[in-house]
Amino acid sequence: MTLRIEILGSLRAHRGQAELDLGPAQQRSVLAVLALAEGRCTPMSELVDVLWGERSPVTAVNVLHTYVKRLRRILEPDRPSRVASRLLPRVGDGYLLSTDEVEVDLWKFRALARQGGGHDAVRRAVALWRGQPLAELRPLAGHPLLAGLAQELIVALETFAESAVLNGHAVDVLPLAEEIGRMAPLDERVHSVLIELYLATGRRAEALMHYRDISRRLDEELGVRPGAQLSAAHELALHADTLQPGKQQAAKPQAGRPPVAPGWGRLPVPAQLPPDISDFSGRLGQLSALSRILGSPADGRTAMPTAVVTGLGGVGKTTLAVHLGHLVRENFPDGQLFVDLHGTDRPAADPAAVLHRLLMSMGVNGAVIPKELDDRVALYRSRMAGRRVLLVLDNAVEESQVRPLLPGAATCATVVTSRSRLMGLSGAHRLDLDVFTADEAMDLLVHLIGEQRVRGEGDAARAILEACGHIPLAVRVAGARLAAQPQLSLERFRRQLSNERRRLDHLSAGDLAVRATFGLSYDALPPAVRRAFRVLGLLDVADFADWTLAALLDEPQDQAERLLDQLIDVQLVSVADEDETGEPRYRMHDLIKLYAAERAALEDDEAAREEARVRAYATWLSLAEQADTELAYRTLPALRGPAPRRRLPAEHTGLLLDDPVKWFQSERANLAVVITQSAREGRADLAWNLAEACVGFHEMRDLLEESQAVHAAAMAACGEDVPRGRAVMARNLAYLFSVPMIQPIAMHEHAQIALDLFRSVGDVRGEIHALAMLGTAVLAEGHDEGHGEEGLELMHLAQRLTREHGHDAGFDFVHAGLGFSYRERGELELASAHLEQVVERARDRKVNRLHLTALRSLGMVRHYQGRYDESREALLQGLRLSRSLGVRLKELLALVVLGESGVLTGQPDADSFLDTAEELGEEMAGEITRAIVSRSLATRDLVNGHFEQARERLLFSLRVFRELGVLHLQAMVLKALGIAHVMLGENAQALAAWEEARGLYGRIGNRHEMGEIETLVAGVTG
């Protein structure tokens, strides 16, 4: 079926005979802008400017992507979900509306104008016109795009008018000219044409009157006199003998000012608004916007303004509408009508019955009110004509309930409240009412319980408002309960609300109840949508992608999207943003999610609830493992185990994981929640496999504490019943305690647990990893005399097992560990041999963290060997790779070593490297990273003679490294600290520092450094 879009009037779209719901005003505006461009690409920057101007939010581009995705779904309902759009394709940094896929009335209008007139072209062009283009789209109001369209229409009007006058069909063009004249009230070309058309249709008096009107406007608004073209038209009107008997048409009333109905002043003036509330709080911006929309009946408008206020139950729609009505009632002296349409709390009000009541309230005798709905609508609108009446329609269900109740007179105004967005009400201005801001919620609580009580327990008050989710009804209920119990402390009430299972019980006071309000929305949903709502309460995640709902329901993607749209329409789910992969994210308000979980517990058995959760967890696991494989960054080879895995269709997976880093970034918070939730629910199989799948991404983005937390939760869930899962978690934790520097005690503890468990289950690969880490930890802990080789023996055992079992994935890990250990012991040739193997094997592979570690270690070894050019080459390569991958910790470590070695060898860019490292360390804001940077900056201070500053930096680094138990870094700091003390004349402190350093190097087994310390001591003691 043909898709048609109309913009010569309000924006509309039809497929066949069916009108399409194009969504909210901003989304409609995007389509309008693309239609105006007629097949040309509109850049994202221009779309952002149209919708937000200079006040664009940081998420503007993401929101635009969401609007386009939804427009594609509306306009191309038969397009498979993962097939590229032909109608609204992405072109470069923008979008276009394809001229091959749609008919647009403006495009036809332009084509007819290019034909140069002719009666048929004029007739067809005028037939396309429905009114002022896009006047209902407030985002476009006053924008240069519409100004440009107005000029384009004026040029076309001149062409059509000239042809029509010459061919004797001026009357055909006159309505179009009058509409464009209202669009451009000060454009002399338009009004010159209009005067000529009045003359050509025998309406000389109107032509002269029109000239006087436009002359007055030009003088009053611009301070100018009519120009040559308008003056010439006036001269023509003064002297043309165009009046013929019977040809002059009766003057029409001015647009927007219909004649006053006879005897109207004697009819009743209804005043039906409910009482305003004395403690109305906040909403100043919304009140201002709505007041502008309603305007004043005296402003000469041509269409009745309609404002639709939508939002979730309890957000304060009715309260806002009533308060607004009282604020603007003086603008509507002929009456204020209020109707509760019972959209949720009882069977919806029948429009015919509502019209009967409205007509009687306006003085119509019940005996003469027609029975048929259409007849009642006609009588109602006749009665409203010429009156200045405000109509508030509260709690509407759907558009068909509202349309018959809308007055036709531009002098009236209507406010509609609904939990549904009522997208089918053409020309309506929509305001999506969100929850209170923190300040607005606090203002209401102060109104309800008094400022002194709030001030006395400020922290508890803020926590109560957070528990209420800043929903106005919830805040009001909480305030009512506190006001009714002055002895109840805010802290005690906070504790009551902190119990999520009982929170909705406590948010009830009299006939005010948050649970009941949500229930009204829920009860009105179809069964399939109710089930979708319930399963969304089963997950602890803050937001989700549409595939998550598909997994919970075990339904196809397109079905899940349709159900989501219905939940969004009734405000039970909202669109949060667009994620890194370009997919929209959805969220439920916290209190709504609690209600959804309640309904699930009441209506679905435990088995069904667990199956839904497991399907979701299994989908996350499958995606995470595939993303981890694509990422190929992890240091430790993947060790997976049995667990449910649910794959999405390959096409969908490919799009989601096109950039695995972006997918991980989008799902990062959810993965952490899901690991913790599955662990808490006893699904250790899912918990530990999920944690294992996230390791590579956590390494890449330096999310070490987050990774430790989820691994600890998964390991605890494994207990004694899942030994291999517990072993993998212990192995990963041992590794995590080695980054960014070895914490030997924690590393040793977890590596030993992993080794014992891997051996108990016969997992040789895991045993190899555990041996290598245990050896590294033992070496880092230091040793007593006679025990110095234990760590190396463990690592060589790992090396032997690697060769015997052909475990290629463990080769690099073991050799990198040996290279690191030999470097710390000062055995540089052995360190070099192991590290070179790792770097060489990495040349034809994806870069991973192990490769970056080996490059940095090799660079340090080369520096100690005096091979400075090779050192710099390895370190620069590591820096480039770290930056290309966005791995900030590895970038920092490369900068530190480059800067420190550069200072010692006189490299001109050394300061630049260290300054950048200092900035990056501050951004990362961790004490460990600051300690690493501080030690290197101290090296520069020593070289530059800033000895006191060097001492302070080194003392800070020493404190941090002592707390972590990192021996080799403590020794390095103490060696440098002794030099600083000597330069400051503090020889006793220097000797003490060197003595401690010598002992630490002895424990590590670094005889070379022990010799250097002895040389330094001899230089002081003689």
Side-chain angles (χ1 to χ4, degrees):
M1 290 185 288
T2 302
L3 175 64
R4 304 189 314 280
I5 295 176
E6 300 170 355
I7 61 177
L8 295 176
S10 59
L11 178 65
R12 299 194 309 196
H14 292 81
R15 182 172 293 282
Q17 298 301 312
E19 183 171 355
L20 305 177
D21 179 0
L22 295 175
Q26 286 194 314
Q27 183 169 298
R28 294 164 64 87
S29 298
V30 171
L31 180 61
V33 171
L34 298 178
L36 287 171
E38 192 171 349
R40 288 178 286 105
C41 175
T42 302
M44 295 295 290
S45 57
E46 185 174 330
L47 292 170
V48 169
D49 177 68
V50 168
L51 297 191
W52 294 286
E54 296 180 355
R55 298 184 176 180
S56 62
V58 294
T59 58
V61 172
N62 289 337
V63 174
L64 279 172
H65 288 319
T66 301
Y67 287 157
V68 172
K69 177 176 180 177
R70 289 186 170 275
L71 286 170
R72 287 170 175 166
R73 189 184 303 162
I74 294 165
L75 300 174
E76 301 174 282
D78 299 326
R79 177 176 62 87
S81 61
R82 300 302 164 186
V83 173
S85 172
R86 296 178 59 189
L87 176 67
L88 288 170
R90 179 77 179 269
V91 180
D93 184 36
Y95 292 98
L96 63 78
L97 180 64
S98 173
T99 56
D100 297 330
E101 303 291 327
V102 64
E103 295 178 1
V104 178
D105 57 358
L106 175 62
W107 301 354
K108 292 182 180 179
F109 190 94
R110 288 168 171 166
L112 293 168
R114 288 193 293 269
Q115 294 177 16
H119 175 56
D120 183 60
V122 171
R123 179 182 56 77
R124 290 163 58 197
V126 171
L128 293 170
W129 187 269
R130 294 181 295 107
Q132 182 172 341
L134 311 174
E136 83 283 8
L137 297 180
R138 293 185 66 82
L140 295 180
H143 196 274
L145 277 174
L146 286 193
L149 176 61
Q151 293 303 308
E152 183 180 348
L153 295 175
I154 290 167
V155 172
L157 173 63
E158 291 177 314
T159 301
F160 292 143
E162 181 180 359
S163 173
V165 170
L166 289 174
N167 292 289
H169 299 291
V171 69
D172 292 341
V173 184
L174 187 56
L176 174 62
E178 289 176 326
E179 282 284 344
I180 296 177
R182 282 189 281 273
M183 285 176 58
L186 298 174
D187 191 291
E188 293 190 38
R189 289 179 300 162
V190 177
H191 295 283
S192 300
V193 170
L194 193 50
I195 288 170
E196 292 171 15
L197 289 171
Y198 281 137
L199 293 173
T201 54
R203 297 159 67 175
R204 180 169 178 257
E206 287 183 56
L208 291 169
M209 184 182 304
H210 193 78
Y211 174 79
R212 286 195 295 272
D213 289 342
I214 181 63
S215 298
R216 185 183 68 254
R217 286 200 300 273
L218 289 169
D219 179 48
E220 292 175 351
E221 298 188 34
L222 300 180
V224 299
R225 298 178 61 80
Q229 186 178 356
L230 192 57
S231 296
H234 182 223
E235 282 294 310
L236 188 63
L238 287 174
H239 300 105
D241 185 16
T242 59
L243 290 177
Q244 300 177 28
K247 290 289 183 76
Q248 187 172 358
Q249 300 177 19
K252 294 187 291 184
Q254 278 187 277
R257 298 183 183 179
V260 176
W264 182 256
R266 295 191 298 274
L267 295 177
V269 177
Q272 299 177 354
L273 290 174
D276 202 359
I277 58 174
S278 60
D279 54 13
F280 185 90
S281 298
R283 306 301 197 194
L284 296 180
Q286 292 89 339
L287 286 169
S288 175
L290 289 169
S291 296
R292 287 195 302 272
I293 290 169
L294 300 187
S296 169
D299 61 10
R301 62 195 179 207
T302 60
M304 182 197 70
T306 300
V308 178
V309 181
T310 66
L312 60 87
V315 82
K317 301 179 294 294
T318 301
T319 301
L320 177 67
V322 170
H323 189 69
L324 172 69
H326 285 282
L327 289 178
V328 302
R329 64 186 305 165
E330 297 301 321
N331 293 335
F332 301 94
D334 297 323
Q336 305 89 43
L337 300 169
F338 182 90
V339 182
D340 183 354
L341 296 178
H342 301 302
T344 52
D345 56 345
R346 65 184 74 174
D350 176 47
V354 172
L355 284 169
H356 190 281
R357 294 198 302 275
L358 289 173
L359 286 166
M360 291 190 67
S361 70
M362 293 187 292
V364 178
N365 190 314
V368 300
I369 294 176
K371 291 185 178 180
E372 297 299 323
L373 175 63
D374 289 347
D375 295 333
R376 289 185 181 184
V377 171
L379 177 59
Y380 166 67
R381 289 177 178 163
S382 297
R383 283 283 176 162
M384 296 288 267
R387 295 201 74 183
R388 294 166 293 175
V389 176
L390 174 66
L391 173 65
V392 178
L393 300 175
D394 188 41
N395 205 8
V397 179
E398 58 189 7
E399 297 88 340
S400 61
Q401 186 190 33
V402 172
R403 287 193 189 102
L405 308 179
L406 296 176
T411 51
C412 296
T414 304
V415 179
V416 184
T417 74
S418 178
R419 299 187 186 193
S420 173
R421 304 195 75 243
L422 304 182
M423 300 309 302
L425 287 184
S426 299
H429 303 271
R430 286 172 181 80
L431 188 149
D432 293 327
L433 199 60
D434 204 349
V435 299
F436 272 156
T437 65
D439 288 342
E440 288 174 332
M442 186 63 77
D443 286 344
L444 178 56
L445 188 62
V446 167
H447 273 299
L448 294 169
I449 68 173
E451 184 175 359
Q452 184 174 357
R453 196 171 174 192
V454 170
R455 191 189 301 123
E457 296 186 80
D459 290 342
R462 283 184 286 273
I464 288 169
L465 297 177
E466 285 291 330
C468 292
H470 297 153
I471 295 177
L473 174 62
V475 176
R476 187 170 290 281
V477 170
R481 292 198 64 165
L482 288 166
Q485 303 177 70
Q487 76 284 357
L488 177 63
S489 73
L490 272 63
E491 173 57 26
R492 182 178 176 190
F493 190 52
R494 180 202 67 76
R495 290 197 301 271
Q496 292 174 353
L497 293 181
S498 67
N499 182 349
E500 290 189 350
R501 292 187 177 183
R502 296 290 312 280
R503 185 175 299 170
L504 292 176
D505 294 335
H506 293 297
L507 290 176
S508 174
D511 62 353
L512 295 176
V514 173
R515 179 185 284 114
T517 298
F518 294 160
L520 295 174
S521 293
Y522 175 76
D523 292 341
L525 296 174
V529 185
R530 271 187 252 162
R531 179 174 174 243
F533 174 76
R534 295 196 302 273
V535 296
L536 287 173
L538 300 177
L539 298 176
D540 294 343
V541 297
D543 62 20
F544 57 93
D546 45 21
W547 60 260
T548 311
L549 178 58
L552 285 164
L553 294 171
D554 200 18
E555 295 280 0
Q557 180 80 15
D558 55 354
Q559 172 65 1
E561 290 178 358
R562 284 192 289 271
L563 294 170
L564 267 176
D565 283 342
Q566 294 180 70
L567 289 170
I568 290 167
D569 191 54
V570 296
Q571 308 288 335
L572 291 174
V573 170
S574 62
V575 180
D577 209 337
E578 190 173 86
D579 66 23
E580 297 274 354
T581 68
E583 294 289 307
R585 307 292 294 186
Y586 305 92
R587 66 180 176 85
M588 296 180 89
H589 189 280
D590 290 347
L591 289 182
I592 292 179
K593 188 185 292 186
L594 289 177
Y595 179 72
E598 276 191 3
R599 297 314 310 171
L602 289 169
E603 299 183 40
D604 304 314
D605 60 43
E606 175 54 37
R609 299 199 302 273
E610 182 179 358
E611 287 170 5
R613 286 193 297 265
V614 168
R615 281 194 300 269
Y617 301 158
T619 309
W620 262 300
L621 176 58
S622 177
L623 287 168
E625 288 180 340
Q626 292 174 78
D628 182 49
T629 300
E630 288 294 318
L631 198 62
Y633 181 76
R634 56 190 299 145
T635 298
L636 289 167
L639 293 177
R640 296 170 181 168
R645 288 169 175 83
R646 181 180 182 276
R647 283 183 172 265
L648 295 178
E651 191 176 49
H652 191 181
T653 301
L655 287 171
L656 286 175
L657 303 184
D658 181 56
D659 185 332
V661 175
K662 288 184 176 179
W663 183 82
F664 268 121
Q665 287 173 172
S666 300
E667 295 295 336
R668 170 189 164 189
N670 285 353
L671 286 164
V673 168
V674 166
I675 292 167
T676 304
Q677 186 175 357
S678 59
R680 186 175 68 244
E681 293 167 357
R683 291 306 305 242
D685 54 343
L686 286 159
W688 81 257
N689 277 286
L690 277 162
E692 159 68 356
C694 295
V695 168
F697 173 70
H698 287 158
E699 288 186 84
M700 177 175 277
R701 287 294 175 262
D702 304 316
L703 305 173
L704 305 178
E705 291 183 4
E706 183 175 315
S707 196
Q708 288 171 5
V710 296
H711 275 80
M715 184 174 173
C718 290
E720 301 301 324
D721 298 327
V722 189
R724 186 164 181 275
R726 184 175 174 83
V728 175
M729 294 297 94
R731 176 200 73 156
N732 292 358
L733 281 165
Y735 168 71
L736 291 167
F737 283 116
S738 73
V739 184
M741 62 186 62
I742 294 172
Q743 301 175 50
I745 296 174
M747 186 180 184
H748 187 148
E749 175 189 348
H750 288 87
Q752 186 67 63
I753 292 172
L755 179 61
D756 294 342
L757 288 169
F758 280 129
R759 284 175 169 169
S760 73
V761 297
D763 189 329
V764 177
R765 290 190 306 164
E767 181 182 352
I768 291 169
H769 310 152
L771 282 167
M773 285 188 291
L774 185 58
T776 302
V778 169
L779 285 169
E781 287 177 307
H783 53 81
D784 298 325
E785 190 67 30
H787 296 86
E789 301 306 312
E790 182 185 349
L792 286 174
E793 288 172 1
L794 290 166
M795 299 185 77
H796 283 299
L797 175 57
Q799 184 182 15
R800 180 169 59 80
L801 289 173
T802 300
R803 286 196 302 267
E804 290 176 358
H805 293 272
H807 181 31
D808 185 69
F811 181 95
D812 292 335
F813 183 71
V814 172
H815 280 278
L818 283 165
F820 172 83
S821 298
Y822 281 124
R823 188 199 78 198
E824 297 309 314
R825 288 168 60 89
E827 299 179 51
L828 302 182
E829 292 302 324
L830 286 172
S832 179
H834 288 288
L835 293 170
E836 283 172 356
Q837 292 188 68
V838 178
V839 171
E840 183 61 33
R841 282 166 53 87
R843 293 190 189 280
D844 299 323
R845 302 180 181 181
K846 277 190 175 182
V847 177
N848 62 22
R849 193 181 190 100
L850 203 58
H851 184 199
L852 298 178
T853 300
L855 281 169
R856 181 173 61 88
S857 286
L858 186 59
M860 295 172 71
V861 168
R862 292 288 183 259
H863 176 81
Y864 298 149
Q865 291 173 324
R867 298 159 65 176
Y868 301 125
D869 290 342
E870 294 177 52
S871 169
R872 182 178 173 85
E873 180 184 350
L875 293 169
L876 285 173
Q877 184 184 356
L879 178 62
R880 285 192 298 270
L881 292 172
S882 298
R883 285 175 168 170
S884 70
L885 293 170
V887 187
R888 297 206 304 168
L889 180 56
K890 289 299 183 185
E891 178 186 356
L892 176 79
L893 295 173
L895 286 166
V896 162
V897 179
L898 274 166
E900 189 173 2
S901 63
V903 165
L904 295 173
T905 58
Q907 293 290 341
D909 53 7
D911 284 339
S912 173
F913 288 131
L914 287 175
D915 290 342
T916 305
E918 185 174 21
E919 292 174 9
L920 187 55
E922 290 299 323
E923 289 176 15
M924 295 174 72
E927 195 168 51
I928 295 176
T929 54
R930 287 202 300 272
I932 293 170
V933 174
S934 184
R935 188 192 66 79
S936 294
L937 292 175
T939 301
R940 180 171 65 180
D941 291 335
L942 290 174
V943 171
N944 293 335
H946 303 146
F947 304 121
E948 289 187 1
Q949 183 165 286
R951 180 183 59 191
E952 296 309 311
R953 292 189 197 276
L954 291 165
L955 287 170
F956 165 70
S957 298
L958 182 61
R959 176 183 64 79
V960 175
F961 297 153
R962 275 178 172 161
E963 290 173 358
L964 295 171
V966 189
L967 302 188
H968 76 278
L969 286 178
Q970 291 181 59
M972 292 174 70
V973 170
L974 286 163
K975 178 182 176 182
L977 184 59
I979 295 171
H981 282 312
V982 167
M983 302 309 296
L984 292 169
E986 301 166 349
N987 290 359
Q989 292 94 320
L991 292 172
W994 287 335
E995 181 62 26
E996 185 178 354
R998 185 186 181 285
L1000 292 172
Y1001 279 127
R1003 290 178 63 188
I1004 296 169
N1006 193 325
R1007 293 182 174 83
H1008 174 77
E1009 286 294 334
M1010 291 172 66
E1012 287 211 353
I1013 294 292
E1014 290 169 0
T1015 301
L1016 289 171
V1017 170
V1020 172
T1021 60

